[in-house]
Amino acid sequence: MLERLSAGAPKVLNWPGLLVGDISQARGGPMLTGHASHQIGLDADIWLTPMPRRELTRREREDMSATDVVAADRLDVDRSVWTRDHVAVIKAAAKEPAVERIFVNAAIKKALCRDAGATDRSWLSKVRPMYGHNYHFHIRIKCPEASGACTPQEPPTTAEGCAAGDLALLVQRRRAASEAAQDATEAAAADDAGAASVRMPAGAARTLKGPALLLD
C-alpha cells in the first residue's frame, strides 16, 4: 500500500515521493521510541516533508529531521511551511481504500477542514486529531483479508468533524495536553539520570524510563 501511494503521489501533487518513518519491528514488539501501536505492521508514519528529487544517502536518512508544520502556539499550522501539497498528500492517503484511519495533530485537522475546499470532503472523516503528529501523519492500514486474528475498527462516521467551535475547543485541549505531557516527560527525566535518551526530530526530544512506552 505504501509503495502504491508513493508511486501515485507525484501524479497528483508536487510531492516527489514519501519519506516513511516508523513502520514496525520485523517481528513485532515495542520500538526504541515507543510506538505501541506499531507492533503488528498495520501502522506507518509518513513525514510531512516531501522527498527530495533524489535518493537520500544512508547518513542523510539517519540525520535529517522531519518538518514541524504546527505553529509555535499549537493553535494552527505554521503558514510559512504549510502548503496545499500537505492537504493533497493527506487527502491521497485518506482516499486509499486500504487506509482505515489517519491521525494528525489537532491543528492540522483544523487546517485540513479549512483548506479542503467545498466539494469532495468525505475523506476528512478518516482523518482524526491525535496528540503529537505535528511532524508526520500516522496511517492505520485495514486488516488483511481473511485474517481472523485482526479486528478492524468501526467504519468512520460520515461526519467530517469540522465544526468550527468543536475544532477550536479541541485544538485548545490538545495544546494543554501537549504541554502537560512535555512537563511530565521533563520531570521524569530530571528524576532519573539513568533514563535512556531517545533521538527525535529537533525540538522534540523525549526520554524513556524503564518499560514505559510513548503511545502514537
Side-chain angles (χ1 to χ4, degrees):
M1 192 281 295
L2 289 173
E3 291 175 348
R4 182 169 64 249
L5 182 62
S6 182
K11 300 175 183 177
V12 297
L13 63 150
N14 186 30
W15 205 274
L18 305 181
L19 293 177
V20 180
D22 290 343
I23 301 179
S24 70
Q25 303 281 56
R27 295 170 181 79
M31 306 181 76
L32 176 65
T33 52
H35 275 146
S37 60
H38 285 244
Q39 294 185 29
I40 60 173
L42 294 177
D43 295 85
D45 291 338
I46 296 179
W47 282 15
L48 290 166
T49 307
M51 187 184 79
R53 296 185 182 279
R54 60 177 178 80
E55 184 175 341
L56 295 171
T57 66
R58 175 179 287 274
R59 173 54 57 189
E60 286 174 322
R61 292 197 299 270
E62 291 295 328
D63 292 345
M64 75 179 294
S65 293
T67 304
D68 185 351
V69 302
V70 175
D73 64 6
R74 323 314 284 168
L75 299 179
D76 207 334
V77 291
D78 181 349
R79 288 295 187 172
S80 69
V81 294
W82 178 259
T83 69
R84 298 290 300 181
D85 288 336
H86 287 95
V87 180
V89 73
I90 296 173
K91 178 179 179 179
K95 290 177 74 71
E96 166 64 48
V99 171
E100 194 165 52
R101 292 287 192 281
I102 291 178
F103 301 113
V104 298
N105 186 279
I108 295 175
K109 172 71 174 187
K110 175 182 174 181
L112 292 172
C113 290
R114 180 180 59 222
D115 299 340
T119 60
D120 190 19
R121 295 176 62 88
S122 62
W123 59 274
L124 286 166
S125 64
K126 279 189 182 181
V127 183
R128 301 301 177 92
M130 180 69 70
Y131 162 72
H133 299 88
N134 47 316
Y135 292 87
H136 68 273
F137 62 96
H138 177 140
I139 285 180
R140 176 152 295 159
I141 302 167
K142 290 182 178 180
C143 290
E145 293 183 8
S147 177
C150 182
T151 302
Q153 291 184 252
E154 292 293 327
T157 61
T158 55
E160 300 169 357
C162 289
D166 294 342
L167 269 178
L169 180 60
L170 178 61
V171 169
Q172 291 172 354
R173 287 175 174 171
R174 289 289 188 264
R175 178 190 183 191
S178 175
E179 292 172 347
Q182 179 68 34
D183 290 345
T185 300
E186 291 174 354
D191 290 342
D192 184 6
S197 179
V198 178
R199 185 164 61 85
M200 297 283 281
R206 297 289 188 272
T207 57
L208 298 181
K209 181 178 180 181
L213 294 177
L214 296 179
L215 300 183
D216 187 355

